[in-house]
Amino acid sequence: MKTLSIVIPCYNEEETVQKFYDETKQWMEKVPADIEYVFVDDGSRDRTLPILKEMAEQDDDVHYISFSRNFGKEAAILAGFQYAKGDAVVLIDADLQHPPSLIPMMWKHFEDGYDQVIAKRNRAGEKFTRRKLTNVYYKLVNRLVEVEITDGVGDFRLLSRQALDALLSLTEYNRFSKGLFSWIGFHEKMIEYENQVRVEGASKWSFASLLNYGMDGILSFNNKPLRIAIYSGIGITMFGFIYILITLVNYFINGVETPGYFTTISAIILLGGIQLLFLGIIGEYIGRIYYETKRRPQYLVKEKN
Ligand code: UDP
Ligand code: MG
């Protein structure tokens, strides 16, 4: 019989893991495969780990990996993927926002020969502002990056062993899974589901962390922002030359005017701003290179079974 690994990143999920496990277990009876649960405790500070241990004691199919501190969801995903032994892997959140009821269908598609079965959610029940912001973000990102990133497509998906190995062969430190999933390609199947509100506990995403995540998405997949820097640099320099020329001609025809405070100041501010912006972009890339060259492990394991 084939094996299906279910990878669940958990960060402070004491209120939800048990519920998640109970519900998922029921649905897994419909999957004609051996099931392996890989819970990754991402340095939770609540009772998540003791709960996981208890579950592991009662069910041999439950495995857990616990990090020495919080390394972030991307690291947790990677750890789970590296640990998983199945012929296929399902990545799913612990908060039941990703309905486990979809897994039997995902498995069916996998057996039909698909390498990636992607669950796409609609955004019903989400805050209006967040929905709009996400919308704008996806439009922007898809303009900027080389891989196609679809709105509503999150991490919830099934990967075949082949797709998983491909993903694991990408060794970069700054991981932006949404982009990586899309980059590896393979035979993809999309299924849709209704957006779910979190059952218990709080979302770990603040506005700032969403903004950071969004920035990662743009920066980790291309160097177009650097291009933009070059082009606007050329544009502004040309504009500057024309401006100087006009002023000079004007000077010879009309003589000296009143000292141009306004133009001087605005030029300084504008150029200063643009320079800082692009310095920031360049710095951002250098920072990434710095992290990549350190070759630090993405996570540290404190204990596992
Ligand atoms: N998560 C994690 N590490 C983190 C933040 C989140 O492993 O640093 C897990 C979390 O436990 C959950 C999943 O990632 O299983 C999605 O997190 P959350 O529900 O907070 O995100 P949202 O659904 O709001 O996008
Ligand atoms: Mg959630």
Side-chain angles (χ1 to χ4, degrees):
M1 191 136 69
K2 285 185 177 158
T3 308
L4 171 65
S5 304
I6 300 178
V7 170
I8 314 106
C10 310
Y11 178 48
N12 294 343
E13 298 285 5
E14 59 179 5
E15 289 154 313
T16 59
V17 270
Q18 189 67 50
K19 254 188 213 155
F20 167 86
Y21 169 73
D22 293 341
E23 190 172 333
T24 309
K25 199 166 174 57
Q26 282 177 12
W27 286 104
M28 286 317 99
E29 279 158 22
K30 293 202 164 65
V31 178
D34 290 327
I35 306 294
E36 169 197 56
Y37 298 88
V38 182
F39 287 92
V40 185
D41 164 37
D42 186 8
S44 300
R45 276 182 295 257
D46 61 358
R47 292 197 62 255
T48 304
L49 183 60
I51 296 173
L52 290 178
K53 280 182 176 166
E54 211 172 284
M55 275 162 34
E57 240 165 61
Q58 279 166 21
D59 184 347
D60 285 340
D61 298 338
V62 173
H63 303 267
Y64 63 85
I65 310 169
S66 180
F67 289 175
S68 61
R69 64 168 171 86
N70 179 243
F71 280 92
K73 190 181 177 188
E74 292 290 346
I77 293 174
L78 180 68
F81 281 175
Q82 285 171 340
Y83 189 94
K85 294 175 194 70
D87 300 289
V89 184
V90 166
L91 175 63
I92 186 168
D93 281 0
D95 57 8
L96 288 175
Q97 277 186 300
H98 297 162
S101 53
L102 288 185
I103 299 178
M105 210 214 291
M106 288 173 147
W107 178 262
K108 238 183 109 245
H109 289 308
F110 163 67
E111 292 211 294
D112 287 345
Y114 287 101
D115 287 298
Q116 284 207 60
V117 186
I118 306 161
K120 178 177 188 295
R121 76 178 157 153
N122 53 31
R123 287 190 174 267
E126 224 172 64
K127 272 208 209 105
F128 178 78
T129 42
R130 178 151 172 196
R131 229 164 53 211
K132 274 278 163 278
L133 275 177
T134 336
N135 228 325
V136 171
Y137 172 69
Y138 278 101
K139 286 233 171 77
L140 186 76
V141 166
N142 277 321
R143 245 160 208 257
L144 286 175
V145 303
E146 285 118 38
V147 292
E148 172 84 23
I149 295 174
T150 322
D151 182 21
V153 167
D155 299 329
F156 185 23
R157 65 183 68 214
L158 176 147
L159 297 174
S160 70
R161 176 46 63 184
Q162 196 184 12
L164 183 70
D165 286 342
L167 199 73
L168 290 176
S169 73
L170 310 178
T171 54
E172 60 227 74
Y173 184 84
N174 294 290
R175 297 183 83 80
F176 183 68
S177 280
K178 271 187 195 178
L180 298 179
F181 287 140
S182 166
W183 188 87
I184 58 169
F186 289 105
H187 206 28
E188 292 177 5
K189 172 89 191 167
M190 195 89 84
I191 53 182
E192 274 212 39
Y193 68 97
E194 283 285 310
N195 194 27
Q196 311 283 319
V197 252
R198 198 175 230 287
V199 279
E200 216 85 53
S203 171
K204 275 92 208 168
W205 293 98
S206 61
F207 181 73
S209 61
L210 269 179
L211 204 67
N212 273 328
Y213 184 67
M215 207 54 117
D216 280 341
I218 295 174
L219 290 174
S220 62
F221 260 87
N222 66 81
N223 49 16
K224 276 186 202 159
L226 285 173
R227 272 287 145 76
I228 299 173
I230 295 174
Y231 287 134
S232 23
I234 294 173
I236 290 165
T237 315
M238 259 158 41
F239 177 77
F241 271 123
I242 295 171
Y243 179 77
I244 289 169
L245 215 75
I246 294 172
T247 323
L248 219 63
V249 171
N250 196 33
Y251 165 73
F252 282 120
I253 299 172
N254 296 328
V256 191
E257 284 178 41
T258 40
Y261 278 123
F262 176 70
T263 41
T264 320
I265 296 292
S266 37
I268 290 172
I269 292 173
L270 188 71
L271 281 179
I274 291 169
Q275 279 167 3
L276 277 183
L277 176 69
F278 288 119
L279 260 183
I281 292 177
I282 294 167
E284 194 51 50
Y285 281 103
I286 294 178
R288 268 148 211 276
I289 296 171
Y290 176 60
Y291 270 105
E292 296 289 346
T293 52
K294 281 204 268 195
R295 301 222 146 267
R296 285 210 179 139
Q298 263 107 342
Y299 56 86
L300 294 172
V301 175
K302 185 176 64 184
E303 53 185 305
K304 63 180 176 183
N305 70 340

